[in-house]
Amino acid sequence: MTAQLWDKVANQVNFNLEIDVQRFCQLVKPDARILDFGCGYGRITKQLKQLGYPEVLGGDPSAAMIKRGLSLYPDIDLIQLPQLPLPFADETFDVVLSCAVLTCMPSEMAQKAAILELKRVLKPGGLFHLSEFCAPMTKRFTSGLGTPMCYHTPMSCRSCWKTLSTWRMKSRPVELWPAIRLNAIEPLPENRSRL
């Protein structure tokens, strides 16, 4: 994510990727600590707060996105996260959301660094929600607003998901909840308990 490019378009862009609210509410207890990583202007952060999750924090590298979000939604917690590592202790969050963040990170090295850092701040047995736009072939392009983008293949997202699903933290697996746009990736079994 090139923060300076996003700063330039912060007031022009409107995001539209959705989370499965019903499933989220089934899996996540109201007192869960949630990080909305790469939140942009905080649209999903606000949605989760409205759903009754008081411990949700949105973070984004773009100062202008955060400023816009605080102007639109003054009742939510948003912070600028200009670089890695994240300013949180290990195992801070019950849930980490990443919605279209990899799409905004054309560099595989940057993607891997972000995923490893999200792993670090996620509690054992926590839930990682990954939503991405997918295409039949990897597609790197520049958006109409001038930001570099990358649509990933379902296979590359599946590879990321499999890597994440093998994480072991204090002998407990990290729960994953992929929600990949265009092509579904193996869903979690329906009998998962709430966090």
Side-chain angles (χ1 to χ4, degrees):
M1 287 179 276
T2 305
Q4 296 83 5
L5 291 174
W6 286 105
D7 284 344
K8 291 179 184 178
V9 300
N11 291 314
Q12 300 170 40
V13 67
N14 289 301
F15 299 118
N16 59 11
L17 190 60
E18 299 290 333
I19 64 168
D20 183 338
V21 171
Q22 182 178 6
R23 189 163 185 202
F24 189 92
C25 292
Q26 289 172 347
L27 293 170
V28 181
K29 291 180 182 177
D31 63 348
R33 292 194 70 196
I34 303 167
L35 174 63
D36 181 2
F37 179 73
C39 70
Y41 53 86
R43 182 181 57 88
I44 292 176
T45 307
K46 174 64 174 178
Q47 181 182 21
L48 294 176
K49 183 102 173 189
Q50 289 175 326
L51 289 169
Y53 293 97
E55 294 291 321
V56 60
L57 173 67
D60 197 273
S62 168
M65 285 285 189
I66 296 300
K67 182 179 178 182
R68 176 183 173 191
L70 291 172
S71 174
L72 289 171
Y73 316 118
D75 62 324
I76 64 173
D77 295 321
L78 298 177
I79 63 169
Q80 184 186 12
L81 300 172
Q83 61 189 16
L84 301 178
L86 297 175
F88 310 114
D90 294 355
E91 303 175 3
T92 298
F93 297 97
D94 300 297
V95 177
V96 172
L97 289 125
S98 174
C99 295
V101 173
L102 299 182
T103 298
C104 300
M105 297 175 118
S107 161
E108 284 187 37
M109 191 164 66
Q111 293 169 7
K112 289 178 182 178
I115 294 294
L116 288 173
E117 189 60 7
L118 295 176
K119 170 191 170 188
R120 182 186 67 78
V121 301
L122 186 62
K123 289 181 181 178
L127 183 134
F128 183 90
H129 177 279
L130 174 68
S131 290
E132 285 297 327
F133 293 100
C134 288
M137 295 176 57
T138 298
K139 180 181 177 185
R140 295 183 190 283
F141 61 99
T142 300
S143 75
L145 295 172
T147 55
M149 308 289 276
C150 181
Y151 286 172
H152 302 279
T153 66
M155 183 170 284
S156 66
C157 288
R158 185 176 289 116
S159 174
C160 177
W161 187 73
K162 285 182 179 179
T163 300
L164 293 170
S165 68
T166 62
W167 285 348
R168 298 284 174 191
M169 299 169 69
K170 294 188 178 174
S171 302
R172 292 181 60 195
V174 174
E175 300 293 343
L176 299 169
W177 173 27
I180 307 302
R181 184 67 109 177
L182 300 182
N183 290 285
I185 298 216
E186 301 95 84
L188 286 177
E190 294 299 323
N191 62 353
R192 297 289 177 156
S193 61
R194 290 167 57 108
L195 293 175

